[in-house]
């Protein structure tokens, strides 16, 4: 139970480091990877750097598998990143192999101070320091608990049997690494056992090889979409290059194992250095051929023909030579964004009423569909030759761009702000008052009706439909103001649920109004501006004095 407890503490520490790094550097981390994958050497270095930061090649692999499956990263540079990630995790082992456990309380103390006292990025970085402290503590205790266990006669007999058959040692280490989600633990354990003389150095080498193999299993079994062969290319490609390295070492195991002893002053340091050299050797072997290797994986695992909800359906590249046809295609694609936005609002409605995270997660995925559709529409429209556009077609192109951009902004508000309200409500364990909940649901229902009205005004270009949408904006503002006044009335009456959820309720009211504003600005204003019915300002003119 103690071993299981400290293994769980280790995994939780790694999780805290990963989430802390992602919250502190999230967009920068993705931008760093995006900038680095332009050539294989930079991609290799980026993989090593990100893995050292996240303390786990598994975390890097899972993140990169999602990127590659989503089409954000090409396979060849992604494979180069993974080669760097494997080297990065060996550098983590090198650092942790020194006795740095006394730093754990200092890291936890500094992390708690930042987490409780600081805001924004320093607050999130506090999670990183706490996680590092927990990792060091868990590793130290884990290895300390294992020492008397492996010293037992039964354990030594088992290890002797395992060590007597090298393939079995590799398999045991691979399974242990897969279960622990960390090759670092397995390699450090192998180093500890070899240093204590519990297992011979040759068995230690086999355990290190098994750790390298096992760490490639998690991304394949947990990160890949098994319904899509293309999503398996990266994790399977990573596993196959590990298998190639394992086969090469095993074929010359009798010659190489004695040479490992020369890599360090003791067995533990020799194994740490062998772990690093093994991964560097794989990088040297595969990096020059990474593009050919990627083509081979793409040929072996062709993409499934199934429809992708975020993939454009109507943007025909050949139609760009005829702007009127291309604009019609872009308009049809933009209407898909209104359907997606309406689905997001339905998910938001369910999230506000339900006491579960399921609708929140499902709705967040729809925002990715909106983002991808907007990106595809924008890229398509700006690729239409401007010299072929008539003035009317140029205005229509601007209208489609404006509409798509505003639909995407509305989706961002639902994803980042309104779903955040539902998430915070769940985390705090509070509920809206019945009246407050009814106000929010009423506004969401009204928004869904306005989405359909916005789609009609956008497609028809009819000024009367646009005026209806603008009038609805005024009505929406009045309803929102009434809801705010009613909310403050419930606060003054001392309604306990209203007091607990006051800030959440006001945030939701404000953001629902902002979503409605994007509908009006994207669909109604361009139509009214073209008809000469849109005023430049809502301010009443004031006669000049003097």
């Amino acid at each position: 139970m103690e071993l299981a407890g400290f293994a769980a503490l280790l995994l939780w520490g790694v999780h805290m480091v990963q989430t802390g790094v992602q919250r502190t550097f999230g967009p920068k981390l993705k931008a760093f990877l995006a900038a680095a994958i332009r050539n294989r050497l930079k991609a290799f270095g980026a993989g090593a750097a990100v893995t050292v930061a996240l303390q786990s090649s598994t975390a890097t692999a899972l993140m990169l598998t999602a990127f590659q499956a989503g089409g954000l990263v090409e396979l060849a540079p992604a494979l180069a990143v993974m080669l760097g990630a494997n080297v990065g995790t060996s550098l983590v082992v090198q650092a942790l192999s020194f006795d740095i456990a006394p730093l754990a309380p200092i890291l936890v103390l500094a992390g708690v101070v930042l987490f409780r006292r600081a805001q924004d990025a320093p607050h999130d970085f506090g999670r990183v320091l706490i996680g590092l402290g927990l990792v060091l503590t868990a590793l130290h205790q884990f290895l300390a608990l294992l020492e008397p266990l492996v010293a037992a006669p039964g354990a030594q007999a088992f290890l002797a049997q395992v060590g007597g058959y090298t393939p079995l040692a590799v398999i045991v280490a691979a399974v242990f690494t897969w279960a622990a989600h960390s090759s670092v633990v397995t390699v450090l354990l192998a180093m500890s056992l070899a240093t204590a003389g519990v297992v011979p150095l040759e068995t230690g080498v086999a355990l290190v090889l098994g750790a390298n193999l096992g760490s490639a299993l998690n991304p394949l079994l947990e990160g890949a979409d098994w319904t899509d062969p293309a999503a398996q290319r990266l994790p399977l490609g990573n596993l196959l290059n590990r298998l190639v390295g394992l086969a090469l070492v095993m074929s010359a195991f009798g010659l190489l194992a004695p040479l490992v002893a020369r890599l360090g002053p003791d067995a533990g340091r020799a194994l740490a250095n062998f772990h690093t050299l093994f991964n560097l050797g794989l990088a040297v072997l595969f990096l020059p051929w990474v593009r050919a290797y990627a083509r081979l994986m793409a040929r072996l695992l062709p993409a499934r023909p199934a429809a992708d909800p975020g993939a454009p359906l109507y943007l025909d590249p050949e139609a760009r030579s005829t702007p009127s046809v291309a604009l019609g295609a872009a308009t049809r694609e933009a209407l898909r964004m209104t359907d997606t936005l309406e689905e997001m609002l339905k998910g938001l409605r369910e999230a506000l009423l339900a006491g579960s995270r399921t609708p929140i997660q499902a709705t967040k995925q729809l925002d990715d569909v909106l983002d991808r559709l907007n990106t595809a529409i924008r890229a398509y429209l700006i690729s239409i030759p401007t010299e072929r556009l008539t003035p009317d077609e140029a205005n229509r192109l601007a209208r489609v761009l404006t509409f798509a951009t505003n639909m995407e902004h509305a989706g961002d508000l639902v994803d980042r702000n309104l779903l955040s309200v539902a998430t915070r409500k769940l985390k705090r364990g509070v509920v809206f008052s019945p009246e407050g909940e009814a106000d929010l649901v009423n506004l969401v229902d009204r928004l869904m009706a306005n989405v359909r009205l916005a789609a009609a005004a956008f497609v028809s270009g009819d000024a009367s439909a646009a005026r209806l949408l603008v009038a609805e904006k005024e009505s929406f503002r009045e309803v929102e103001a009434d809801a705010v006044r009613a909310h403050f009335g419930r606060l003054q009456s001392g309604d306990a649920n209203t007091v607990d959820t006051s800030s959440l309720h006001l945030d939701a009211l404000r953001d629902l109004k902002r979503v409605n504003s994007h509908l009006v600005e994207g669909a109604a204003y361009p139509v009214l501006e073209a008809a000469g019915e849109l005023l430049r300002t809502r301010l009443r003119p004031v006669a000049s004095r003097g």
Side-chain angles (χ1 to χ4, degrees):
M1 288 302 295
E2 285 181 297
L3 283 171
F6 283 115
L9 182 64
L10 173 66
L11 293 177
W12 183 249
V14 171
H15 172 74
M16 288 196 71
V17 172
Q18 292 167 10
T19 55
V21 169
Q22 287 166 355
R23 292 180 186 182
T24 307
F25 307 107
K28 295 180 181 177
L29 202 63
K30 293 180 181 179
F32 173 65
L33 272 177
I37 60 175
R38 292 170 186 170
N39 72 64
R40 54 194 172 198
L41 291 179
K42 286 185 178 179
F44 174 80
V50 170
T51 300
V52 170
L54 292 176
Q55 300 284 292
S56 170
S57 61
T58 299
T60 305
L62 289 172
M63 180 171 65
L64 205 62
T65 298
F67 287 174
Q68 197 270 322
L72 301 178
V73 179
E74 291 184 3
L75 181 58
L79 288 168
V81 170
M82 280 312 306
L83 289 170
N86 299 334
V87 173
T89 197
S90 73
L91 298 180
V92 173
V93 169
Q94 292 280 4
L96 294 179
S97 64
F98 296 100
D99 186 17
I100 55 177
L103 292 176
I106 300 172
L107 291 171
V108 173
L109 176 61
V112 169
V113 170
L114 285 176
F115 190 79
R116 293 179 63 89
R117 302 289 183 185
Q119 299 294 327
D120 301 325
H123 167 85
D124 293 328
F125 190 67
R127 292 177 63 91
V128 178
L129 297 181
I130 295 172
L132 285 173
L134 294 180
V135 167
L136 294 179
T137 300
L139 281 172
H140 179 74
Q141 295 297 326
F142 193 86
L143 295 175
L145 280 170
L146 279 174
E147 287 181 4
L149 181 64
V150 298
Q156 290 194 352
F158 171 75
L159 289 171
Q161 288 181 343
V162 170
Y165 185 54
T166 301
L168 180 60
V170 172
I171 293 171
V172 168
V175 172
F176 182 81
T177 301
W178 166 77
H181 283 62
S182 174
S183 62
V184 172
V185 175
T186 307
V187 175
L188 289 177
L189 176 61
M191 291 166 58
S192 177
L193 295 175
T195 301
V198 177
V199 298
L201 185 63
E202 290 79 2
T203 302
V205 171
L207 294 175
V208 170
L209 291 173
N212 279 277
L213 179 63
S215 65
L217 294 176
N218 294 107
L220 181 63
L221 298 178
E222 299 172 23
D225 179 3
W226 283 88
T227 64
D228 183 7
Q232 301 167 31
R233 293 170 183 168
L234 177 62
L236 187 59
N238 182 47
L239 175 63
L240 289 178
N241 69 43
R242 300 291 187 95
L243 286 172
V244 168
L246 175 63
L248 291 174
V249 173
M250 293 296 288
S251 65
F253 192 82
L255 297 175
L256 289 178
L259 296 177
V260 174
R262 302 180 185 179
L263 297 178
D266 54 59
R269 178 55 51 193
L271 288 177
N273 292 337
F274 167 73
H275 181 42
T276 301
L277 289 175
F278 175 77
N279 285 291
L280 282 173
L282 284 180
V284 171
L285 180 63
F286 277 93
L287 264 182
W289 318 104
V290 71
R291 295 195 181 279
Y293 184 44
R295 288 194 295 270
L296 174 63
M297 295 304 301
R299 186 172 300 174
L300 293 175
L301 297 168
R304 65 179 178 186
D308 177 0
L313 299 179
Y314 307 111
L315 303 182
D316 181 8
E318 301 298 326
R320 288 176 296 185
S321 58
T322 310
S324 60
V325 177
L327 290 172
T331 299
R332 294 182 69 187
E333 207 68 64
L335 283 176
R336 292 182 61 207
M337 296 183 71
T338 62
D339 295 336
T340 305
L341 180 58
E342 187 172 352
E343 287 299 315
M344 290 185 72
L345 291 171
K346 290 178 182 177
L348 171 64
R349 189 184 195 278
E350 186 181 353
L352 292 173
L353 293 172
S356 131
R357 295 180 184 270
T358 303
I360 297 175
Q361 296 302 324
T363 306
K364 278 184 169 293
Q365 292 175 2
L366 291 175
D367 184 58
D368 294 334
V369 174
L370 270 185
D371 292 344
R372 292 172 61 192
L373 286 175
N374 181 50
T375 300
I377 291 169
R378 185 172 62 245
Y380 184 76
L381 289 175
I382 63 177
S383 67
I384 297 175
T386 55
E387 65 274 8
R388 298 194 178 192
L389 293 171
T390 66
D392 286 343
E393 288 170 343
N395 290 334
R396 189 178 169 196
L397 185 149
R399 275 185 54 208
V400 177
L401 277 176
T402 300
F403 182 79
T405 300
N406 277 278
M407 294 306 102
E408 194 263 342
H409 288 338
D412 285 343
L413 282 170
V414 175
D415 176 31
R416 299 173 187 173
N417 295 25
L418 289 162
L419 289 175
S420 175
V421 168
T423 301
R424 285 181 285 159
K425 180 171 75 75
L426 285 176
K427 282 186 176 180
R428 297 179 188 178
V430 296
V431 293
F432 293 118
S433 67
E435 299 84 357
E437 186 176 85
D439 287 341
L440 293 177
V441 170
N442 176 53
L443 286 174
V444 174
D445 289 341
R446 195 155 186 162
L447 266 181
M448 287 192 281
N450 287 352
V451 169
R452 293 189 286 271
L453 183 57
F458 167 65
V459 172
S460 66
D462 181 47
S464 60
R467 284 193 294 271
L468 282 175
L469 189 56
V470 173
E472 185 61 23
K473 180 179 180 180
E474 298 302 323
S475 300
F476 201 94
R477 183 183 292 113
E478 292 171 6
V479 172
E480 185 255 353
D482 290 341
V484 171
R485 283 193 292 270
H487 173 76
F488 283 123
R490 291 191 296 273
L491 273 178
Q492 291 170 347
S493 69
D495 187 309
N497 288 333
T498 302
V499 172
D500 289 339
T501 60
S502 179
S503 62
L504 298 178
H505 193 270
L506 293 175
D507 286 348
L509 290 174
R510 177 201 63 203
D511 290 323
L512 287 170
K513 184 175 72 172
R514 291 172 64 193
V515 171
N516 192 68
S517 296
H518 281 299
L519 297 179
V520 177
E521 292 167 10
Y525 283 176
V527 174
L528 295 177
E529 185 177 15
E533 297 184 25
L534 189 66
L535 297 176
R536 291 186 176 273
T537 176
R538 294 177 57 203
L539 295 176
R540 183 176 300 169
V542 178
S544 59
R545 298 181 180 179

